[in-house]
Amino acid sequence: MADAEKKTIHIDEEVGQDSPDTEGSESKPFKTLQFAYLHNGEQTYLVKRKEGDEEVATYKPAAKAAMKKAVSYADQQKKKASKEKELAIRQQKEEEERQKVFDEAKKIVIKEDTSLPKAVKIHLGETRPEVVKLGSGERPKEVDYSSGDRGTRVRVMGRVHRERKQKEVLFVTLRDGHGYMQCVLTGPLAKTYDALTLTRESSMMITGEMWEVPPGAHAPDNRELHADYFEIVGKAPGGDDAITNVVQAKGDVQTLLDRRHLVLRGETAASVMFVRDAVEHAFNVKYHELGYVKVSPPALVQTQVEGGSTLFDFNYYGEKAYLTQSSQLYLETAIPFAGNVYCIEKSFRAEKSLTRRHLSEYTHIEAELDFITFDDLLEHLEDIICGVLDHVLANPRTAAMLQDLNPDFQKPERPFKRMKYADAIDWLRSHDIPNEDGNPHQFGDDIAEAAERRMTDIINRPIFLTHFPVEIKAFYMQKDKADPRVTESVDCLMPGVGEIVGGSMRMDDYDELMAAYQREGMDPSPYYWYTDQRRYGTSPHGGYGLGLERFLAWLCKQHTVRDTCLYPRYMGRCKP
């Protein structure tokens, strides 16, 4: 095309518009040279600009360098558009081919063969040889019941934890809470529409024969189910709504908490919950071995244990009441009739704290021991913690989960390190660990969480931190007769978490308890039922509270207690 036949295209970066409908005239110029060239090709391009000392911008021929960039940009865009067109055509062909496969798959109808042996219904963790016999040998292409060395025909149900397609074989790993099982679908089973469109978390029923896995292959419990029939019970969504898209391991923390109901299906979250169940069961077993009686104190109370600032209050039929902070006071009233007692209940603290070890609702394991000394209390705490761990680790399945969650875990050795509060203050000063105000620690400081945890991590073993000052502990704690400045109190500190247990001897003298009420400015009348324990046959006694979520965070090596309970509740979160 001769220059005379070319159109003149105008570019004005200030008032121009980049649109395919733009004329390119002086009154309706394009905004950029690249866009104009992409849509108009070889033309005469005038760009509005100032040169030298000019005060007013005028249209001038586009610079050679600018034209070169515009041509290069247009070439890139054309190549990109060509590739996108080719990709779209290929995807369309693939979709058409996929649809043909699906249409053919929908024609395949499978039915359970009633001539086969009756299937035994088992859960996925079932391993008893008297229930499940495994066939052995190379993996069969089809289930062959003429074989003399065949396995039990079973019926299993679960959700798809993983699925993998390989040529004309579909491998499906099911999950049901009892365990995992690899299932192998071959032949027509693997070609059905349900098999081709199978998604994770879909629930299924599968029947087939149990076989050992071939040499060199791996599967849960070294076995696999060779299916002869299956049904989809509930199909989970795929695509953008697939669980792997909705829940991602490194996703936003708050989003994961909003979708906690789906997160719990993951191996790590589920394993923590299984360990939690085992730990809670172990506490019950250990307490009963020791002859303790389990009681269930009320959650709705009208007295406080740890201070009014952390109480959740509510209207109780016109009276003020609270959600319990601790069951301790009620447990003490059970000692006279039951002896040593314990409970596993929820406690509630309205702390406006967002640290990784605080919850507004948590599971509190509490016990009260009668006719004991402070040393007895410390020895009991060692016994209960180590005894619970023995029970938990004795279960092979739980031990395997713990190995995955916390490969470096080692059961603590007894005796635990004893460290008095005064010695801890000296230790913190000698290691230049300041208090919350940035100053060296002084006797009387309430050692902050960060300093306490840092000390514990450096020492790297369980610590019984004892004999806290009277002023920073609860009103009911017994004073040390050898040093009335401090109480016979203890916090059990664990590396990586900090405090998991808080306990003490309780005041057993009536007059001393009444003086404690007065010192704290508390009206003793609502506590009449608690004070009466000192009037009607008092005794030296003590107890403690253990936070189950913190115990699990230490045991399972979880960064936060929010991951050790089913649905965490803390400041700002009360859903789902």
Side-chain angles (χ1 to χ4, degrees):
M1 180 184 291
D3 289 347
E5 297 174 350
K6 291 182 180 179
K7 291 168 55 179
T8 300
I9 306 295
H10 297 78
I11 315 294
D12 188 336
E13 294 181 352
E14 290 188 3
V15 299
Q17 297 291 326
D18 279 345
S19 167
D21 298 329
T22 302
E23 297 176 358
S25 62
E26 233 180 305
S27 60
K28 293 184 178 179
F30 285 96
K31 184 175 181 64
T32 65
L33 178 59
Q34 289 181 335
F35 188 89
Y37 187 88
L38 177 64
H39 289 274
N40 292 275
E42 289 288 341
Q43 306 294 343
T44 299
Y45 290 94
L46 301 179
V47 180
K48 196 169 190 178
R49 66 179 186 272
K50 293 180 183 179
E51 284 186 351
D53 297 330
E54 293 179 353
E55 295 183 4
V56 179
T58 57
Y59 283 105
K60 298 178 177 64
K64 290 183 179 180
M67 283 301 302
K68 188 174 181 180
K69 288 182 179 179
V71 172
S72 176
Y73 174 78
D75 288 343
Q76 291 174 4
Q77 294 303 307
K78 288 175 182 177
K79 289 177 182 178
K80 182 179 178 182
S82 178
K83 288 181 179 179
E84 288 177 349
K85 185 177 180 180
E86 289 176 6
L87 179 61
I89 293 172
R90 187 165 65 249
Q91 288 177 337
Q92 184 178 358
K93 287 182 179 179
E94 290 174 355
E95 180 60 31
E96 290 173 355
E97 291 173 2
R98 187 183 300 112
Q99 195 57 50
K100 287 179 182 179
V101 173
F102 286 163
D103 290 341
E104 290 300 314
K106 290 176 181 178
K107 297 176 184 178
I108 300 174
V109 179
I110 58 173
K111 293 183 179 180
E112 186 169 6
D113 188 346
T114 56
S115 68
L116 296 177
K118 184 177 180 181
V120 178
K121 184 178 179 181
I122 64 168
H123 60 67
L124 301 180
E126 186 68 78
T127 58
R128 290 178 295 163
E130 65 270 23
V131 176
V132 179
K133 176 188 175 185
L134 298 180
S136 60
E138 293 297 325
R139 177 181 287 137
K141 293 182 179 179
E142 302 279 350
V143 175
D144 180 12
Y145 283 96
S146 64
S147 168
D149 187 20
R150 61 174 183 259
T152 306
R153 185 168 184 263
V154 300
R155 181 184 303 272
V156 297
M157 306 185 83
R159 289 171 177 81
V160 178
H161 191 66
R162 295 189 188 89
E163 47 84 22
R164 175 169 57 92
K165 297 176 179 67
Q166 182 177 306
K167 294 183 180 180
E168 295 188 352
V169 180
L170 174 61
F171 294 92
V172 178
T173 300
L174 291 186
R175 178 193 76 240
D176 71 349
H178 294 281
Y180 300 88
M181 183 180 291
Q182 179 169 286
C183 305
V184 184
L185 281 65
T186 58
L189 297 182
K191 298 176 182 178
T192 62
Y193 180 76
D194 282 339
L196 296 180
T197 60
L198 188 64
T199 51
R200 290 192 184 187
E201 293 305 317
S202 294
S203 50
M204 300 179 69
M205 182 281 293
I206 304 179
T207 61
E209 185 180 1
M210 296 292 294
W211 282 74
E212 292 180 6
V213 295
H218 300 282
D221 297 321
N222 279 328
R223 61 187 182 162
E224 56 189 11
L225 177 67
H226 291 268
D228 56 55
Y229 179 68
F230 78 91
E231 292 177 3
I232 299 295
V233 179
K235 196 164 191 175
D240 292 342
D241 291 329
I243 192 166
T244 48
N245 291 325
V246 174
V247 174
Q248 298 179 350
K250 295 184 179 180
D252 174 69
V253 172
Q254 295 305 317
T255 299
L256 292 177
L257 285 170
D258 287 342
R259 294 169 179 167
R260 179 74 175 162
H261 57 294
L262 298 178
V263 171
L264 287 165
R265 302 184 183 206
E267 290 183 26
T268 298
S271 292
V272 173
M273 292 301 103
F274 284 126
V275 173
R276 180 187 173 108
D277 169 65
V279 168
E280 191 166 337
H281 175 70
F283 270 105
N284 279 304
V285 171
K286 180 62 179 177
Y287 279 126
H288 286 160
E289 287 177 352
L290 295 173
Y292 285 43
V293 176
K294 186 177 185 180
V295 295
S296 296
L300 311 181
V301 301
Q302 291 186 307
T303 51
Q304 64 186 51
V305 181
E306 300 294 341
S309 63
T310 65
L311 285 167
F312 283 109
D313 64 318
F314 63 97
N315 186 314
Y316 186 74
Y317 303 106
E319 295 183 279
K320 178 171 270 194
Y322 313 99
L323 295 178
T324 185
Q325 300 165 311
S326 165
S327 296
Q328 176 210 318
L329 305 188
Y330 293 93
L331 282 175
E332 288 189 55
T333 69
I335 284 177
F337 79 85
N340 296 339
V341 295
Y342 80 100
C343 71
I344 302 179
E345 302 285 348
K346 288 294 181 73
S347 285
F348 305 87
R349 301 282 174 92
E351 289 181 278
K352 293 183 178 179
S353 175
L354 292 174
T355 76
R356 62 190 178 96
R357 67 175 196 168
H358 282 93
L359 292 169
S360 297
E361 175 191 60
Y362 66 99
T363 298
H364 214 171
I365 298 174
E366 300 181 86
E368 292 294 319
L369 291 66
D370 202 12
F371 294 106
I372 63 165
T373 65
F374 186 53
D375 286 338
D376 293 334
L377 179 62
L378 299 184
E379 289 176 8
H380 163 80
L381 282 170
E382 286 179 342
D383 183 42
I384 198 74
I385 290 172
C386 293
V388 163
L389 293 175
D390 286 339
H391 282 294
V392 170
L393 295 171
N395 183 312
R397 186 187 182 205
T398 308
M401 290 178 179
L402 274 176
Q403 177 63 29
D404 290 337
L405 291 167
N406 189 359
D408 299 325
F409 177 77
Q410 292 183 336
K411 196 181 82 168
E413 295 182 1
R414 300 175 63 176
F416 294 178
K417 180 179 178 62
R418 266 76 163 164
M419 176 184 277
K420 289 188 176 182
Y421 166 88
D423 295 330
I425 293 295
D426 292 340
W427 191 97
L428 291 167
R429 289 175 65 90
S430 67
H431 286 76
D432 296 322
I433 299 176
N435 62 19
E436 285 189 301
D437 298 325
N439 300 317
H441 278 87
Q442 302 291 334
F443 188 92
D445 285 348
D446 192 354
I447 301 174
E449 173 192 340
E452 180 184 81
R453 195 168 65 243
R454 188 174 172 194
M455 178 182 73
T456 309
D457 289 348
I458 292 173
I459 294 174
N460 197 32
R461 58 178 293 197
I463 302 171
F464 280 150
L465 190 57
T466 66
H467 297 87
F468 291 85
V470 172
E471 291 75 18
I472 63 174
K473 282 299 181 180
F475 72 93
Y476 52 74
M477 292 189 179
Q478 180 69 53
K479 293 179 181 178
D480 183 0
K481 291 180 174 58
D483 184 358
R485 297 179 308 156
V486 299
T487 55
E488 290 187 318
S489 53
V490 58
D491 285 355
C492 181
L493 313 179
M494 288 296 184
V497 179
E499 179 195 347
I500 65 168
V501 179
S504 75
M505 296 297 289
R506 317 308 192 189
M507 285 184 181
D508 55 61
D509 181 78
Y510 174 84
D511 292 333
E512 190 175 4
L513 180 59
M514 294 303 291
Y517 288 136
Q518 185 175 7
R519 183 185 71 238
E520 297 294 325
M522 296 170 60
D523 178 5
S525 58
Y527 295 85
Y528 71 93
W529 48 273
Y530 179 70
T531 310
D532 273 355
Q533 306 307 309
R534 282 70 182 167
R535 298 178 62 217
Y536 292 86
T538 191
S539 63
H541 64 283
Y544 58 89
L546 179 149
L548 179 60
E549 286 79 11
R550 290 188 184 182
F551 185 90
L552 288 164
W554 164 67
L555 180 60
C556 299
K557 202 175 183 178
Q558 297 300 293
H559 177 70
T560 170
V561 292
R562 297 173 189 177
D563 292 334
T564 61
C565 55
L566 197 65
Y567 289 98
R569 297 290 184 257
Y570 56 91
M571 186 178 69
R573 176 162 292 276
C574 196
K575 69 175 184 180

